[in-house]
Amino acid sequence: MSDTIFHKIIRREIPADIVYEDEHLVAFRDIAPQAPVHVLFVPKVDFATLNDVPMTQAEVVGRLAVAAADYAKREGFAEDGYRIVMNCNANAGQTVFQVHLHLLAGAPLGRFGTAR
Ligand code: 5GP
């Protein structure tokens, strides 16, 4: 397994506020939340970026999205709405090179686009 901060969280070597885990993925609160709810969904298989996920393993990404939706339903904000985001490489500002999905919710969210 690779050795990003997220791998250390998955291996319980550093603490995190884990809100969900199954055999495929772990979800925990972002340390620097950008919305009232900001949870990261991280697969247990190693892929540095979305570019590295082959079509034959598309379910790795699909599970992150569906797990985020399930979490939103359980927590009661699915109908109000939420955003899922996956940053890939420099122009998107990816900082941790283990593929992950951001779930942002809890308030109306601003639009997104190019940096100003
Ligand atoms: P990226 O910018 O790569 O899409 O997102 C990485 C996210 O990981 C950032 O939102 C950042 O705040 C979060 N993060 C970085 N280090 C830690 C950590 O040690 N613990 C937790 N819970 N989140 C982290």
Side-chain angles (χ1 to χ4, degrees), residues 50-62:
L50 184 57
N51 293 339
D52 301 304
V53 181
M55 189 59 80
T56 53
Q57 293 184 64
E59 72 277 4
V60 170
V61 176

Side-chain angles (χ1 to χ4, degrees), residues 34-49:
Q34 303 298 306
V37 177
H38 188 171
V39 176
L40 302 169
F41 290 77
V42 185
K44 292 183 176 177
V45 289
D46 288 356
F47 292 111
T49 80

Side-chain angles (χ1 to χ4, degrees), residues 5-6 9 14-17 28-34 38 40 85-88 92-98 100 102:
I5 197 99
F6 291 172
I9 288 172
I14 63 167
D17 187 357
F28 50 89
R29 292 187 198 284
D30 197 291
I31 203 167
Q34 303 298 306
H38 188 171
L40 302 169
V85 175
M86 193 174 277
N87 294 320
C88 183
Q94 184 177 0
T95 57
V96 179
F97 287 86
Q98 163 67 358
H100 55 278
H102 296 254

